Amino acid sequence: MFSSTSTIRPEGGAPLVLTLGDPAGIGPEILVHAYAREPVLMHGTFVAGDPEVLRQAAAVLPGASAHRLPVAVLDAATQAWQVPPGCVPVLPVVRLGKPPVWGRVSASAGRAAGECVAWAARAALRGEVSAVVTAPLNKAALSAAGPPWGAFPGHTELLQSEAAAHAGLDVAQCPVRMMLANEELRTVLVSIHVSLRDAIEAVEFSRVLQTIEITHRALSVALGRAPRIAVAGLNPHAGEDGLFGTEEREIIAPAVREAQARGLQAEGPFPPDTVFMRARSTSDRPGAYDVVIAMYHDQGLIPVKYLGVEQGVNVTLGLPFVRTSPDHGTAFDIAGQGIADPSSLLAAVRMARRLSGC
Amino acid sequence: MFSSTSTIRPEGGAPLVLTLGDPAGIGPEILVHAYAREPVLMHGTFVAGDPEVLRQAAAVLPGASAHRLPVAVLDAATQAWQVPPGCVPVLPVVRLGKPPVWGRVSASAGRAAGECVAWAARAALRGEVSAVVTAPLNKAALSAAGPPWGAFPGHTELLQSEAAAHAGLDVAQCPVRMMLANEELRTVLVSIHVSLRDAIEAVEFSRVLQTIEITHRALSVALGRAPRIAVAGLNPHAGEDGLFGTEEREIIAPAVREAQARGLQAEGPFPPDTVFMRARSTSDRPGAYDVVIAMYHDQGLIPVKYLGVEQGVNVTLGLPFVRTSPDHGTAFDIAGQGIADPSSLLAAVRMARRLSGC
C-alpha cells in the first residue's frame, strides 16, 4: 500500500469544497453520510450546493445520528473552519425551488449540478478553496439543462473550460489527463472516452510525452519527489519487436526517450499484461513504479477496478487546482434509499488533501 | 476461489504426459522440481523427453532429495502408473546426443522440444494419454530448427496442426482458443498474438460466437454443468450506446443473442473495466460468472496476471484433448540455476487433471 504521509492541515487556510452532484442521484446522501462517518477528516470542508437538498438527503440516511445531522448554512467559504464537526456546512450557491425526485433525470437538477461545479472551479481559480471534490453528475441531466451545460460531456471538460477561460487560453492549450488511483495502484490515461479504434489513433508522440510530463508534475507535488513512471505498450507483449504492431517502436519508445532526455524517471514501453502487476504496491511489497501510463481507458481501469471499486478515486491532472472525485456515477437506481456507500467519496477527500496539502 | 472438486484418478487409466520444453530453458528443472515437491499429484504422469536432460536438470536443483531424484526410463506410456512416487518417469522420445547449454538458443534444442510436443499430441489423439501439459518452448529455437518446426509460432499452432491432420481437416476447420485461468478468474480470448489494430478486426460475429461455443463446451465438461459466460465489450463502457464505438451493437450483442438462442448461458456485452472484477471468485464471495470472454489479449491477461503470475495456467480450448501449460516462458536468463518456480507447472497439472478427470 502507498504510505500515507501525515496530513498537514493549516486550520483557517483555504478550505476544500465538495460539489453537490446531481441532486436526484446519490451525491447528496453520500455527502451527508461522509460528514456523519468521518467528521474529523471532513472538518475544514464544505458543500457548494442547496441546503434543502442536503436536508432531504440527511432524512433518508439510516441511523439516528446521521438522520439528525444539522445542515449549517455558510455566508462565505472561509467560515468552513468555524463549523464544528458533526454538521454539514453548505454554501448555498444554488436553490432548486422544489426538491428533486430521486432517480429522475431533470433539466433543473442538471443545471443545479453544473452551476455548483462552475462555482467550485472559479473559487479554486480565485484561490478561495484549496481543492475541489466533485460528487457525480448525470450526463443526460446535464444535456437536458441546455447551454452552456449541455456542451460538456462531463466534469473534466467543464473544469478544463473554466481553467482555460480564467487563463485567457483555448481549451486545447490546457491539456488535462485522468488519473485513477486506489491504495495499491495509480494509472494515468492517454485517452478516455473514445472508441478503442480512436484510442489507437490518440497514441501520438506529443500526446504520450504530454501525459508523462503532466503525470510527472502532478505526482512530484504529491510525493515530494520525482515519481517513477512506467509506460505501458499498446500491443500484446509491447509489440514483441514489431511483430504485433509498430506503435511501441515508432511512437511510445521515442516519447519515453524524450521524457528521459528531459530528466524524467520514465521507463518503457512495457508489456501491458504485467506492468500493472509490477507497479502494484501491497503491504508486503512496494510497487516497482509510482504510476503507470496507460495507452487507453480499459488498459488502465481494468487493473485499478479489479479488486473492487469502493476505494477508487478519479483525479484530474493538469488543472491549476486539485480536483478529485469518487470513481462511480449517480446510481439513480438506488438514490434516496440511504444505502449508497460514501467510501469512494471519502477516499477522494483524502486524496485531495494529500495532493493539495490542505 | 473456485471450489476444487476432488479428483477422480483411475489408477491404471491413460496417464498424463508432460513435454520436456526447450532443453536449454527452465522446463527440465521445473519438471524435476514438480516431481520432487508434489509426488502424489505427479503420480500417474510422465515426461516425453530425454532422460539425460532430466538427469542434468536434477543435478542443479537445490536440496539433497531433489538432487538425487532418480530418473526412471519407461518403455511405454502405460508404465507411468508403476513408477513409485519420488522418481521422474521419462519416455525417451528424443535423444539430444550432447547436453544443451543453459540459456542458449539452438536448433537441436528447438527440434527436440518440437518433437516432444508432436509426440504428445499424437499420443493424446491415439488415446494413449489423457491430457498434455507442455513445458515452455523457445520461439527462436523452434524457428532455428527449420521445417516443420519453424512454421509454428508456438505450441497452440503445432497442436492444432496435429489435431487437424489426425481428423483429416484443414487447420481453419479446427478452431481453438486460449483460456487463461488462476484460482480466481478464467478468461478466454477472441484473439491472441496480433496487434491491437488487428485484434479489433478479429472481433467478428462468427469468431465471437465460436469463442462462446468453444468455451461452453470445454467448461461444461470441467464444471459438470453449463458455465455462466460473461462477454466483455470492446470499447470503454461497452460503447455507451454507440457513443464510443459500434462493435457492441453490431457484432458482440448479436453474437451473445445467437448464443442465448442456442441455449447457452451467455450475457453481455459488459463494460470491460468492471466485468473481470464481477467475475472474480474469492474465498469471501463467489464470482458472478464462471468465465469472461475477452475481446483481445491484454483485456483478458491484465486482470488474470494482476495478482501475480505464479498460479496462472494457460489452457487450449477446442482441441480434441486437454492441453494446459504454465503461464511463463523458458526464462533463459535463469535456466540451470535451480531457482525457477514450478508453481505454475503444478497448477497446470492440477488443471489438466480437473479438465480431463484423470
Side-chain angles (χ1 to χ4, degrees):
Chain A
M1 305 219 289
F2 298 134
S3 59
S4 62
T5 51
S6 64
T7 309
I8 307 150
R9 213 180 302 168
E11 181 96 9
L16 184 155
V17 66
L18 298 104
T19 63
L20 185 65
D22 192 286
I26 60 169
E29 67 197 91
I30 60 175
L31 286 165
V32 176
H33 204 151
Y35 282 96
R37 190 192 286 182
E38 298 217 18
V40 175
L41 172 71
M42 298 300 285
H43 186 53
T45 75
F46 69 98
V47 180
D50 178 338
E52 207 43 57
V53 170
L54 289 164
R55 283 193 193 102
Q56 185 187 329
V60 303
L61 285 192
S65 64
H67 192 84
R68 284 200 300 261
L69 211 68
V71 171
V73 181
L74 312 183
D75 293 322
T78 49
Q79 293 175 343
W81 287 105
Q82 294 151 32
V83 178
C87 287
V88 183
V90 189
L91 191 71
V93 306
V94 288
R95 294 277 188 188
L96 260 84
K98 63 176 185 178
V101 180
W102 302 120
R104 178 87 57 84
V105 171
S106 83
S108 61
R111 194 177 311 118
E115 283 173 1
C116 292
V117 176
W119 185 92
R122 289 170 197 173
L125 291 163
R126 288 191 304 264
E128 281 177 32
V129 298
S130 60
V132 177
V133 177
T134 56
L137 284 178
N138 183 281
K139 287 183 194 182
L142 205 64
S143 175
W149 315 112
F152 303 114
H155 276 116
T156 309
E157 296 82 359
L158 203 170
L159 296 165
Q160 192 180 15
S161 162
E162 290 289 339
H166 182 82
L169 296 171
D170 275 355
V171 165
Q173 293 171 286
C174 298
V176 298
R177 291 294 185 278
M178 186 200 265
M179 176 167 87
L180 260 285
N182 58 29
E183 286 297 299
E184 297 191 346
L185 185 66
R186 299 183 189 95
T187 181
V188 179
L189 311 178
V190 167
S191 68
I192 47 172
H193 292 144
V194 294
S195 71
L196 191 58
R197 279 178 201 279
D198 289 346
I200 294 176
E201 300 308 324
V203 176
E204 298 167 333
F205 175 84
S206 60
R207 208 175 157 80
V208 173
L209 179 59
Q210 196 171 59
T211 308
I212 300 171
E213 291 191 307
I214 290 174
T215 302
H216 171 83
R217 278 198 296 275
L219 285 187
S220 292
V221 174
L223 302 175
R225 59 172 171 78
R228 300 160 302 161
I229 301 172
V231 181
L234 174 71
N235 296 296
H237 305 188
E240 191 139 349
D241 293 325
L243 218 57
F244 317 141
T246 55
E247 288 86 355
E248 284 79 9
R249 275 209 301 225
E250 293 172 4
I251 300 168
I252 308 171
V256 172
R257 281 197 296 273
E258 178 58 27
Q260 289 167 342
R262 296 182 187 187
L264 276 55
Q265 290 187 36
E267 290 177 51
F270 293 115
D273 60 350
T274 48
V275 67
F276 298 95
M277 178 264 282
R278 292 172 58 209
R280 180 179 170 228
S281 273
T282 65
S283 49
D284 299 339
R285 195 202 60 157
Y289 298 93
D290 295 305
V291 60
V292 182
I293 308 289
M295 290 298 123
Y296 52 91
H297 183 275
D298 291 332
Q299 190 187 65
L301 264 58
I302 288 172
V304 168
K305 294 193 173 181
Y306 184 58
L307 299 183
V309 290
E310 298 82 7
Q311 298 297 324
V313 177
N314 182 339
V315 186
T316 310
L317 306 183
L319 291 170
F321 55 86
V322 169
R323 181 258 168 159
T324 71
S325 74
D327 182 22
H328 58 67
T330 46
F332 270 9
D333 53 325
I334 59 163
Q337 296 180 31
I339 57 172
D341 184 348
S343 299
S344 182
L345 180 72
L346 286 162
V349 172
R350 250 177 248 115
M351 177 77 77
R353 287 202 182 281
R354 207 179 302 161
L355 293 173
S356 65
C358 79
Chain B
M1 304 220 288
F2 298 133
S3 58
S4 60
T5 49
S6 63
T7 308
I8 306 150
R9 213 179 301 167
E11 181 97 8
L16 183 153
V17 67
L18 298 104
T19 64
L20 185 65
D22 192 285
I26 60 170
E29 66 196 272
I30 60 174
L31 285 165
V32 177
H33 204 151
Y35 283 96
R37 190 192 285 181
E38 298 217 18
V40 175
L41 173 71
M42 298 301 286
H43 185 54
T45 74
F46 69 98
V47 180
D50 178 338
E52 208 42 59
V53 171
L54 290 163
R55 283 193 194 102
Q56 185 187 328
V60 303
L61 285 192
S65 63
H67 192 84
R68 285 200 298 262
L69 212 67
V71 171
V73 180
L74 311 183
D75 294 320
T78 48
Q79 294 175 342
W81 289 106
Q82 293 150 32
V83 177
C87 287
V88 183
V90 188
L91 192 71
V93 305
V94 288
R95 294 276 188 187
L96 260 83
K98 64 177 185 178
V101 180
W102 303 120
R104 179 87 56 84
V105 170
S106 83
S108 62
R111 194 176 314 118
E115 283 173 1
C116 293
V117 176
W119 185 93
R122 290 170 197 171
L125 291 163
R126 287 191 304 264
E128 280 177 32
V129 299
S130 60
V132 178
V133 177
T134 57
L137 285 178
N138 183 281
K139 287 182 195 185
L142 205 63
S143 175
W149 317 112
F152 302 115
H155 276 116
T156 308
E157 296 81 359
L158 203 170
L159 296 165
Q160 191 180 15
S161 161
E162 290 289 340
H166 182 82
L169 296 170
D170 275 355
V171 166
Q173 294 171 285
C174 298
V176 298
R177 290 293 184 280
M178 186 201 265
M179 176 166 86
L180 260 285
N182 59 29
E183 286 297 300
E184 298 191 345
L185 184 67
R186 298 183 189 96
T187 182
V188 179
L189 311 177
V190 167
S191 68
I192 47 173
H193 293 144
V194 294
S195 71
L196 191 57
R197 278 179 203 278
D198 289 346
I200 293 176
E201 300 309 324
V203 176
E204 297 166 334
F205 175 85
S206 60
R207 208 175 157 81
V208 173
L209 179 59
Q210 197 171 58
T211 309
I212 299 171
E213 292 191 308
I214 289 173
T215 302
H216 171 82
R217 278 197 297 273
L219 284 186
S220 292
V221 174
L223 301 175
R225 59 171 171 77
R228 299 160 304 161
I229 301 172
V231 181
L234 174 71
N235 297 295
H237 306 188
E240 191 141 348
D241 292 325
L243 218 57
F244 317 142
T246 55
E247 288 85 356
E248 285 78 7
R249 275 208 301 225
E250 292 171 5
I251 300 168
I252 308 171
V256 172
R257 281 197 297 272
E258 178 59 27
Q260 289 168 342
R262 295 182 187 185
L264 276 54
Q265 290 186 36
E267 290 177 50
F270 293 114
D273 60 351
T274 49
V275 68
F276 298 95
M277 178 263 284
R278 292 172 58 209
R280 181 179 170 229
S281 275
T282 65
S283 49
D284 299 338
R285 194 203 59 160
Y289 297 94
D290 295 305
V291 60
V292 182
I293 308 290
M295 290 298 123
Y296 52 92
H297 183 275
D298 291 331
Q299 189 186 64
L301 264 57
I302 287 172
V304 168
K305 294 193 173 182
Y306 184 58
L307 299 183
V309 291
E310 299 81 7
Q311 298 297 324
V313 177
N314 182 338
V315 186
T316 310
L317 306 184
L319 291 170
F321 54 88
V322 169
R323 180 257 167 160
T324 70
S325 75
D327 181 24
H328 58 67
T330 46
F332 270 9
D333 53 326
I334 59 163
Q337 296 179 32
I339 58 172
D341 184 347
S343 299
S344 183
L345 180 72
L346 286 162
V349 173
R350 250 177 248 115
M351 177 78 77
R353 287 205 181 279
R354 207 179 301 162
L355 292 174
S356 65
C358 79

